[in-house]
Amino acid sequence: MTIDDALIQYLEELSKLRLAPEEQAAAKEDLGKILGYMQTLSALNTEGVEGLSHPLANENVFREDAARPSAARAAILDNAPRQKDGCFVVPKTVE
Amino acid sequence: MDLRDYTALEAGKMVRERQIGCEELTRHALRAIAETEPALNACVTVLEEEALASARAVQARLDAGETLSPLAGVPMVIKDNICTAGIPTTCGSKMLETFRPPYNATVYARLLAAGAVLVAKTNLDEFAMGGSNETSHFGPVHNPWDTTRVPGGSSGGSAASVAAGQAFYALGSDTGGSIRQPCAFCGVSGVKPTYGAVSRYGLIAYASSLDQIGTIGRDIRDCAAALRLIEGRDERDSTSVARPPEPEAPAGVRGLKIGIPANYFGKGIDPAVAAPVQAAARTFEEMGAALVDIELPLAEYAIPAYYVVACAEASSNLSRYDGVKYGFAGAGAESLEELYLRTRSEGFGIEVKRRIMLGAFVLSAGYFDAYYKKAMQARELIQRDFDRVFTRCDVILSPNAPTTAYKIGENISDPLKMYLGDVYTVSVNLAGLPGVTVPCGFADGLPVGLQLIGRAFDEATLFRAAAAFQSETDFHRQRPNRPGEEARA
């Protein structure tokens, strides 16, 4: 399968990634080979097969809707790259 | 003391019978780590003081008369994608290099209650994506049998650690073979339980419909004992399942029907690897099992189906790494979009980026039906294939990997070749079945493992067969020399 620059750019956009030029070149080659190999699936007759998104025949599991303490705010924020006044800090998003 | 002179269960018995103290046992493990780590790089974080403190605490509980578990006081290691409160959990990634989870994974909470002593967090392929442990941000792990070779992956640190006698047993995780293949490469035993057997709460997600935590040991009985401590329903993982206690199974394999898939021994496997697995089949037969010829004709579709599903789920799961809540954040970003881009581009390694992009592709408009939907359909057919085969046999015996451990650097530049190495293991994850691996011989001085696949939630039969094999053979008692150690007679 041929992967062109436009597709690589589209995938970078979807993935929120920005590849260096040498990474883009490698991605073109590698993704082409891998996706080409994945196309072997097209030879499989799957007519009438619904498909499995999950290995178990799961049923919905419910529990009591009871209030209980969640994790401590400080413990969660301790891992944040930037925090201020008990909140996560992000770059300005609204002008 | 060489930890490898005792199984985990034997060590636990010595602790209970006061033949050795928890602290002394832990010091032996820490010494083994100090001696072997320069050559192996199996651990990301060694927990010297924490381990000694926890050993003393376990000893105090035992001395106070508490009954803990058969593995209480026994030093062990955990793969670094399983959350341990306050202890770094890096996933082998720059993205989580500084992450200290505020909570424990359910498996670790259960181990703590059972008196386990954690001595190290083990190295892995970044976000468990890889089969060689070469994609770790913290450098490759080296195989204890030949340090120029890979230990397998992604639980390569856990397998190498147990093989080198750094610990008595380990936790790993298995999404497409990530416990079984490194066990085979390092000559140790392991189990990938049925999907739902063990809670995934606190396991950092790679592909959620495939991921499962399992155990690694030198003796399959250790793996079974450790699994017993962590398995079962957990209200924090709605896919985890409660099971009634297993009935006492008869020992041995007399009358057991073992399916042999002929197409797993044909094209693509190194004959030197196929031979010991075929010899193992004859050993089972001599022990009273019946060999049944079976077909698993969809094997060739398992790898493409697996990589489509795994990458799709990974691209979704890994979207959480945004530089805001925890982990690495790219510097100098002046917009939120730029923060995401810098964080993810600098924080993820090449294999993780590749899988995220593959996942984005197979889920994108125009390609969804041809790739993702098709893979889900293949998955259903693969599961049906196993259902059909299990009407004729109780377990399936197969190779684990097509080769023995290869040289570090040999395959890393060819991702597709790496993916093809998962040919015997991925279908087990797609179908959600349990699989165990045990050592069954050597090829050119490197360990070869066999794989036993069972019916869903029938780990008991797999353990019974594997334990019978280990009673009859001594491959699992072979051990690599420690660096600097003379060859053993």
Side-chain angles (χ1 to χ4, degrees):
Chain A
M1 178 164 185
T2 322
I3 309 282
D4 58 19
D5 291 334
L7 181 57
I8 291 291
Q9 268 174 25
Y10 178 54
L11 294 179
E12 288 182 68
E13 200 183 307
L14 289 176
S15 308
K16 295 274 181 270
L17 290 169
R18 185 161 49 210
L19 302 187
E22 66 274 14
E23 285 180 316
Q24 283 176 335
K28 254 161 80 172
E29 190 189 325
D30 293 335
L31 298 193
K33 269 163 64 173
I34 294 163
L35 291 169
Y37 179 70
M38 285 174 174
Q39 280 178 334
T40 53
L41 282 173
S42 64
L44 183 65
N45 180 5
T46 53
E47 215 183 297
V49 180
E50 195 178 332
L52 206 64
S53 61
H54 205 270
L56 296 179
N58 265 352
E59 286 168 27
N60 245 335
V61 180
F62 296 100
R63 63 169 164 76
E64 276 310 294
D65 183 18
R68 59 181 164 187
S70 59
R73 175 185 284 199
I76 299 296
L77 283 168
D78 269 353
N79 271 299
R82 291 174 68 202
Q83 57 159 306
K84 194 182 172 190
D85 301 335
C87 297
F88 298 111
V89 175
V90 296
K92 193 170 177 182
T93 52
V94 183
E95 288 302 325
Chain B
M1 173 188 183
D2 187 331
L3 269 55
R4 298 173 297 181
D5 291 337
Y6 307 93
T7 67
L9 283 167
E10 286 166 351
K13 187 159 182 277
M14 286 160 67
V15 166
R16 282 197 307 284
E17 294 176 352
R18 304 299 192 273
Q19 293 167 37
I20 192 165
C22 295
E23 183 174 344
E24 188 189 346
L25 197 57
T26 301
R27 285 188 191 280
H28 283 299
L30 291 168
R31 198 169 303 130
I33 291 174
E35 284 168 12
T36 54
E37 265 307 273
L40 298 181
N41 195 33
C43 305
V44 177
T45 307
V46 179
L47 300 161
E48 189 159 347
E49 280 174 24
E50 296 91 332
L52 290 170
S54 105
R56 285 189 286 267
V58 171
Q59 189 69 57
R61 287 166 73 189
L62 291 170
D63 290 346
E66 259 191 81
T67 306
L68 295 175
S69 77
L71 297 178
V74 176
M76 54 87 60
V77 293
I78 293 182
K79 188 177 182 180
D80 213 19
N81 61 348
I82 295 174
C83 287
T84 44
I87 296 169
T89 300
T90 67
C91 251
S93 181
K94 180 177 177 182
M95 189 64 88
L96 291 178
E97 194 167 0
T98 60
F99 177 56
R100 287 172 186 262
Y103 68 98
N104 279 325
T106 295
V107 289
Y108 185 49
R110 288 182 180 179
L111 285 175
L112 285 176
V117 176
L118 174 65
V119 292
K121 297 293 295 287
T122 52
N123 206 345
L124 68 158
D125 281 293
E126 185 178 4
F127 283 97
M129 297 179 189
S132 69
N133 234 293
E134 293 169 285
T135 72
S136 170
H137 176 62
F138 303 102
V141 177
H142 300 258
N143 191 314
W145 290 87
D146 176 348
T147 53
T148 66
R149 292 178 185 272
V150 304
S154 64
S155 310
S158 286
S161 181
V162 170
Q166 294 184 344
F168 287 95
Y169 69 102
L171 295 191
S173 67
D174 190 316
T175 305
S178 278
I179 287 175
R180 290 159 288 157
Q181 182 254 27
C183 283
F185 279 14
C186 291
V188 293
S189 307
V191 56
K192 178 262 169 208
T194 309
Y195 187 86
V198 178
S199 168
R200 288 176 294 110
Y201 179 75
L203 170 67
I204 296 176
Y206 159 22
S208 306
S209 80
L210 303 162
D211 294 339
Q212 191 64 191
I213 295 171
T215 57
I216 294 169
R218 283 180 296 277
D219 188 299
I220 195 67
R221 280 163 280 238
D222 291 345
C223 301
L227 179 60
R228 209 153 292 140
L229 303 181
I230 60 172
E231 70 184 355
R233 168 95 187 122
D234 171 20
E235 69 164 21
R236 288 180 156 130
D237 175 0
S238 64
T239 63
S240 64
V241 174
R243 278 194 280 181
E246 271 146 16
E248 199 63 36
V253 294
R254 187 154 294 284
L256 190 75
K257 282 183 272 182
I258 301 181
I260 313 285
N263 57 323
Y264 277 38
F265 293 89
K267 195 170 139 246
I269 187 168
D270 178 348
V273 170
V277 181
Q278 285 161 325
R282 290 191 292 278
T283 303
F284 277 115
E285 195 172 28
E286 283 158 17
M287 291 161 64
L291 304 186
V292 183
D293 289 326
I294 56 161
E295 290 285 333
L296 287 168
L298 298 181
E300 66 174 303
Y301 298 108
I303 290 182
Y306 167 79
Y307 277 96
V308 169
V309 170
C311 292
E313 294 186 18
S315 76
S316 169
N317 274 326
L318 273 65
S319 63
R320 70 189 63 172
Y321 299 102
D322 57 4
V324 175
K325 302 182 292 294
Y326 51 88
F328 173 79
E334 290 186 355
S335 71
L336 201 53
E337 179 78 8
E338 191 60 25
L339 176 64
Y340 297 156
L341 284 169
R342 289 190 190 187
T343 297
R344 296 166 63 80
S345 303
E346 295 166 31
F348 289 136
I350 183 68
E351 183 60 29
V352 173
K353 289 179 188 172
R354 188 182 286 137
R355 294 195 192 192
I356 290 174
M357 290 173 71
L358 283 166
F361 177 87
V362 301
L363 292 173
S364 64
Y367 297 106
F368 181 90
D369 281 356
Y371 287 86
Y372 187 66
K373 181 143 191 264
K374 195 78 179 174
M376 288 202 302
Q377 291 168 319
R379 186 174 189 178
E380 182 171 340
L381 292 174
I382 286 165
Q383 194 179 57
R384 281 192 211 162
D385 238 12
F386 279 115
D387 288 346
R388 183 177 49 73
V389 160
F390 280 127
T391 61
R392 298 182 50 223
C393 64
D394 304 306
V395 299
I396 296 167
L397 169 66
S398 90
N400 216 303
T403 65
T404 52
Y406 41 84
K407 292 270 187 188
I408 292 174
E410 190 178 329
N411 292 337
I412 192 70
S413 59
D414 188 347
L416 183 57
K417 190 171 173 197
M418 290 278 235
Y419 296 178
L420 296 177
D422 300 336
V423 57
Y424 304 121
T425 49
V426 291
S427 55
V428 172
N429 301 75
L430 287 169
L433 302 175
V436 302
T437 181
V438 291
C440 68
F442 292 85
D444 295 327
L446 295 169
V448 175
L450 63 80
Q451 174 177 235
L452 293 169
I453 305 166
R455 297 184 181 103
F457 297 107
D458 190 18
E459 281 82 355
T461 301
L462 296 180
F463 287 141
R464 172 159 68 102
F469 185 76
Q470 292 192 330
S471 308
E472 198 69 19
T473 60
D474 70 350
F475 303 115
H476 64 296
R477 289 195 197 91
Q478 311 295 318
R479 59 177 80 164
N481 295 320
R482 289 248 173 92
E485 190 182 55
E486 289 301 309
R488 273 170 192 271

